[in-house]
Amino acid sequence: MYTLSNRLKMFSIILMVLGALGIGYGFLTAPKTIQDVEALEKAEAHHGGGHEAAGHEATPAHEAHEASAETTPAAAEAHHDEVATEEAHAEHTTAVVTDTAHAEHAAATDTLAVAHAAEVAAPAHHKVAEKHETAVDAHAEHQEHLEHVLHQLQNKPWAALYVACIFFLLITMGVLAFYGIQWVAQAGWSPVLFRVMEGITAYLPVGSVIFFIFLLICGLDLFHSNHLFPWMVEGITDPKSEHYDALVAGKSGYLNFGFWIIRAAVFLAGWNLYRFFARKTSLKQDEAPAGDNFNYKKLFKGSAGFLVFFIVSESIMSWDWIMSLDPHWFSTLFGWYVFASFFVSGITTICMVTLYLKSKGLLEYVNTSHIHDLAKFMFGISVFWTYLWFSQFMLIWYANIPEEVTYFITRINDYTVPFWGAVVMNFVFPILILVNTDFKRVTWILVIAGSIILCGHYVDFFNMIMPATVGKNWFIGISEVSSVLFFLGLFLLVIFNALTKAPLLPKGNPFIEESKHFHY
Amino acid sequence: MSTTNKVIHALYNDDDVLMDAVKKTRAAHYHIEEVFTPFPVHGLDKAIGISPTRLAICAFIYGCTGLSVATWMMNNIMISDWPQDIGGKPSMSYIQNMPAFVPVMFEMTVFFAAHLMVITFYMRSRLWPFKAAENPDVRTTDDHFLMEVAVSGNEAEQVSFFEGTGAVEVKVIEKH
């Protein structure tokens, strides 16, 4: 039997307290009104203004590059009057053709103003807007801009919490899916790890409740300061409202709060039901007399049923909880992509927890061959994730259809480092480290590789959620780190507490002998 | 060690017996020249003491070669030599148009890694069409296992040793 050490308990509680404090800080420091945003922007403009004056002549090419990158999403969004957009486009083209620093610089300034980029200092915007006779009422536009930024900044602590919350919930689901697959596949190597997997999935009920409450807060607009899901905005389906959006209105048969929250409830309930049933049946099989495989067979059938339910619910879940943050965008392989991301995270978590327990001398029958198999799964599913990531990216990049491609343009322009960094962390690093057979058995190498994979997939979820909720105002700061710390502490506390509840070696599994002697 | 090119052929009809015999032979410090089996026997290479294969390392290097060839080839053709505007694809630099090249880069990596590794395997194993078979006993392709051990010192003692390891047949052969 495993006993929860006081040090681990204290460590988790400290993580939770620190996290909770940071989360609270994030909410308290978020701007409340448009005036707050204006003051923030003024302060930034003043600060940035000095820089601009100094580095103006030196870096026109750089600015032009940023500005021209901005043009495409702005044009695709078609928020501006046609004349302005056309003009910006024309100037942009000229800049590329003539390729002189001066022309590029001029185009940059104009394009920025017309495209209404958030970073541009407010005074500069006013100045150029005056010059342009075609520009719409500058004041109204400025107010609209401030409101837009306010919503994004208010979203920031919410979105940080949401990313961490869904990430740990889905890690648990990755483990549960892996567990179900091991039962159905009658794997001979993994039964010695079943208790580890059951321990990790103990987080599912806790995570589900927190996540469901979060969804209720978003949907019922309980604190009036959260705009994570744009399709929940009041009047968005009403043609008479100023918030009317024909595209979202067309999807309202699917994207409406009642149906959405019922789906969430059904999925979470279904997953928790399987988890509860699997744990109970697995423990019952331990006490069954030798040769009595009734519970084993029951769980085999239950797992097969769960996997069918899981793949359907997982796909719909990814549309509901992640894709609907960008309600104008759609992608068919998105469900698989999300699945690959949390599946590999789940397997990595199993590996890390196993290595920890093994280092404490608690998993007598787990040998390097079991670890090697887990590492192979980490390697293989990392490559699978990359395959789906690339398939989604390349198809959209290649066809370059405006309504789809904005998704990647905002990510590449505003999230350059996280966007490409996720590929490096989730693909390049694992493929170079875990390709070696000997490395797959070395604890410290696996701990490093596992940490990088887990961080990489956090960044992956960050990339999916943040651009839709906070846009350019992202930053991995106190809110984001604290949210992760809080959920990490909770996760560790719950799973290691669950591991103390049952012996770490399942006795009654018909494959347990084979698993104990598994050798690769 | 006497200067003779005599070898002992010990035949077995079960892989478990063969594995035991290999271990005993190694313990008795007789030099195993070769073992012929009709199918792969798990763990036999370790029992004989053959060093691990480096074929996987070769494959990795071949894969890197393939990736380099694909990158060089497409950069040369699509970017350097004749950068045409094909359907608006950006052919100003390799990195700008890279997503379109990835399928080729991937396939070339796999192609080089797989084929060159197989050819390396054939060369290292000395396998080619019309090669004369080196099989000492036709039964080893069907249901018998044969261990070939160099004769050193007392021949009769060695023969009785192999008969004691469960061999169904022990022969002394003069090798040319």
Side-chain angles (χ1 to χ4, degrees):
Chain A
M1 285 290 268
Y2 169 69
T3 44
L4 184 59
S5 73
N6 271 329
R7 275 171 63 198
L8 189 64
K9 203 172 179 179
M10 275 315 289
F11 177 67
S12 318
I13 291 171
I14 289 170
L15 285 183
M16 283 176 70
V17 170
L18 278 179
L21 288 175
I23 292 169
Y25 174 82
F27 278 110
L28 288 176
T29 50
K32 303 283 177 299
T33 57
I34 284 187
Q35 280 74 36
D36 291 351
V37 178
E38 203 157 21
L40 261 175
E41 292 213 335
K42 280 228 172 81
E44 248 173 62
H46 183 70
H47 176 71
H51 274 289
E52 217 171 283
H56 213 53
E57 299 306 310
T59 57
H62 174 65
E63 273 174 35
H65 173 69
E66 267 188 9
S68 59
E70 221 78 332
T71 314
T72 326
E77 273 171 27
H79 277 299
H80 317 284
D81 55 318
E82 270 185 28
V83 186
T85 318
E86 267 176 32
E87 201 172 307
H89 183 67
E91 295 228 29
H92 169 60
T93 319
T94 327
V96 171
V97 173
T98 54
D99 201 35
T100 66
H102 178 71
E104 263 190 44
H105 181 231
T109 326
D110 288 354
T111 316
L112 272 172
V114 178
H116 205 64
E119 290 120 337
V120 182
H125 167 67
H126 281 304
K127 198 174 66 199
V128 189
E130 272 166 33
K131 208 169 67 186
H132 275 279
E133 300 298 320
T134 48
V136 283
D137 181 11
H139 181 69
E141 207 174 290
H142 182 55
Q143 289 301 314
E144 208 175 279
H145 157 74
L146 288 176
E147 200 179 331
H148 182 63
V149 175
L150 174 68
H151 284 182
Q152 292 191 334
L153 289 175
Q154 284 181 336
N155 270 345
K156 201 171 167 281
W158 289 99
L161 202 59
Y162 189 62
V163 175
C165 188
I166 199 171
F167 181 61
F168 282 97
L169 176 73
L170 290 182
I171 281 184
T172 319
M173 283 315 294
V175 176
L176 196 64
F178 190 73
Y179 178 76
I181 290 169
Q182 296 304 310
W183 274 94
V184 171
Q186 303 184 341
W189 66 279
S190 53
V192 291
L193 299 171
F194 277 179
R195 284 293 136 78
V196 176
M197 300 183 208
E198 287 168 9
I200 298 172
T201 55
Y203 177 75
L204 183 63
V206 181
S208 304
V209 169
I210 298 174
F211 186 74
F212 194 73
I213 291 172
F214 195 99
L215 293 187
L216 280 177
I217 292 173
C218 293
L220 299 174
D221 197 15
L222 289 182
F223 298 105
H224 300 291
S225 52
N226 165 346
H227 316 270
L228 291 187
F229 294 92
W231 54 268
M232 286 175 179
V233 171
E234 187 125 11
I236 199 158
T237 55
D238 179 7
K240 287 184 212 78
S241 166
E242 57 168 339
H243 295 302
Y244 179 67
D245 184 326
L247 281 176
V248 172
K251 294 179 183 185
S252 62
Y254 181 78
L255 284 182
N256 60 74
F257 174 67
F259 191 25
W260 178 78
I261 202 76
I262 288 170
R263 285 196 302 267
V266 169
F267 300 159
L268 291 171
W271 301 343
N272 276 291
L273 207 65
Y274 169 71
R275 141 78 196 155
F276 175 76
F277 162 83
R279 171 74 167 180
K280 209 173 109 190
T281 318
S282 168
L283 289 179
K284 259 199 217 160
Q285 177 68 27
D286 265 17
E287 283 144 29
D292 176 7
N293 286 336
F294 174 74
N295 287 303
Y296 169 78
K297 286 178 187 162
K298 204 167 128 190
L299 190 43
F300 175 84
K301 287 176 195 157
S303 301
F306 163 71
L307 288 175
V308 174
F309 173 74
F310 172 72
I311 203 60
V312 176
S313 55
E314 189 277 332
S315 193
I316 299 173
M317 168 279 281
S318 71
W319 311 333
D320 282 4
W321 300 346
I322 303 177
M323 202 156 80
S324 85
L325 294 163
D326 284 289
H328 285 186
W329 182 78
F330 45 85
S331 164
T332 38
L333 63 68
F334 194 72
W336 277 108
Y337 167 67
V338 174
F339 169 71
S341 188
F342 69 75
F343 193 50
V344 68
S345 309
I347 294 166
T348 307
T349 309
I350 298 172
C351 187
M352 306 273 270
V353 175
T354 306
L355 287 172
Y356 174 76
L357 294 173
K358 177 86 187 148
S359 75
K360 298 268 159 202
L362 292 159
L363 294 170
E364 189 190 342
Y365 291 102
V366 173
N367 57 39
T368 49
S369 295
H370 294 102
I371 305 294
H372 188 143
D373 265 28
L374 284 172
K376 277 191 279 190
F377 270 108
M378 281 160 66
F379 174 76
I381 308 295
S382 285
V383 175
F384 178 62
W385 173 86
T386 315
Y387 165 64
L388 294 175
W389 178 90
F390 183 71
S391 301
Q392 180 168 281
F393 170 67
M394 194 261 231
L395 286 190
I396 291 174
W397 173 87
Y398 212 112
N400 205 20
I401 298 170
E403 70 215 54
E404 289 179 352
V405 85
T406 50
Y407 183 84
F408 285 110
I409 285 175
T410 51
R411 276 157 182 79
I412 291 171
N413 288 343
D414 302 339
Y415 289 74
T416 315
V417 174
F419 185 74
W420 301 115
V423 185
V424 174
M425 290 164 92
N426 296 334
F427 172 64
V428 180
F429 193 82
I431 205 174
L432 291 178
I433 296 297
L434 295 178
V435 74
N436 188 311
T437 301
D438 299 327
F439 286 4
K440 292 205 243 319
R441 292 159 180 266
V442 183
T443 305
W444 68 269
I445 290 181
L446 285 180
V447 169
I448 291 175
S451 310
I452 301 244
I453 290 174
L454 286 176
C455 293
H457 285 282
Y458 171 78
V459 174
D460 188 30
F461 275 90
F462 188 87
N463 287 340
M464 288 188 238
I465 290 167
M466 285 296 179
T469 50
V470 306
K472 285 171 190 149
N473 298 299
W474 72 275
F475 184 68
I476 297 191
I478 291 176
S479 286
E480 286 75 10
V481 174
S482 304
S483 305
V484 172
L485 292 185
F486 175 79
F487 282 102
L488 180 66
L490 184 65
F491 186 73
L492 292 178
L493 195 63
V494 172
I495 69 171
F496 282 102
N497 191 43
L499 284 168
T500 63
K501 300 278 190 255
L504 289 176
L505 183 73
K507 285 194 293 288
N509 192 298
F511 291 100
I512 195 69
E513 279 308 313
E514 182 182 340
S515 180
K516 280 182 192 172
H517 300 113
F518 173 67
H519 169 74
Y520 164 73
Chain B
M1 204 164 124
S2 57
T3 51
T4 166
N5 43 11
K6 275 186 181 169
V7 291
I8 289 176
H9 280 178
L11 276 123
Y12 302 88
N13 56 8
D14 187 281
D15 49 341
D16 287 336
V17 179
L18 173 80
M19 284 291 280
D20 279 345
V22 165
K23 282 169 195 161
K24 280 182 197 158
T25 311
R26 292 261 294 168
H29 296 294
Y30 291 125
H31 179 69
I32 300 173
E33 298 271 348
E34 193 66 273
V35 177
F36 296 88
T37 64
F39 53 78
V41 177
H42 189 74
L44 184 62
D45 50 344
K46 283 208 179 92
I48 300 173
I50 296 173
S51 54
T53 173
R54 288 167 296 182
L55 213 49
I57 299 169
C58 289
F60 186 81
I61 295 167
Y62 297 148
C64 293
T65 313
L67 185 62
S68 311
V69 168
T71 308
W72 172 82
M73 179 180 78
M74 280 177 305
N75 183 53
N76 194 39
I77 296 170
M78 303 300 290
I79 310 294
S80 304
D81 186 36
W82 198 9
Q84 286 197 104
D85 182 341
I86 302 165
K89 285 278 161 288
S91 49
M92 280 68 84
S93 76
Y94 190 77
I95 200 74
Q96 273 190 312
N97 209 1
M98 200 185 84
F101 302 143
V102 166
V104 180
M105 287 155 73
F106 170 77
E107 294 294 346
M108 289 284 268
T109 308
V110 175
F111 179 87
F112 271 63
H115 288 81
L116 292 181
M117 177 175 71
V118 166
I119 292 167
T120 308
F121 168 73
Y122 285 152
M123 285 164 66
R124 290 289 291 144
S125 315
R126 299 170 193 287
L127 285 173
W128 54 84
F130 313 112
K131 178 195 159 82
E134 289 169 355
N135 190 6
D137 192 313
V138 287
R139 289 172 295 173
T140 61
T141 63
D142 184 13
D143 60 349
H144 278 62
F145 304 82
L146 188 151
M147 178 162 56
E148 186 178 292
V149 183
V151 174
S152 57
N154 191 332
E155 188 184 310
E157 192 189 293
Q158 228 172 322
V159 170
S160 67
F161 169 83
F162 283 106
E163 275 163 351
T165 59
V168 291
E169 197 178 311
V170 179
K171 289 185 288 190
V172 180
I173 305 259
E174 185 87 26
K175 263 201 154 182
H176 303 293

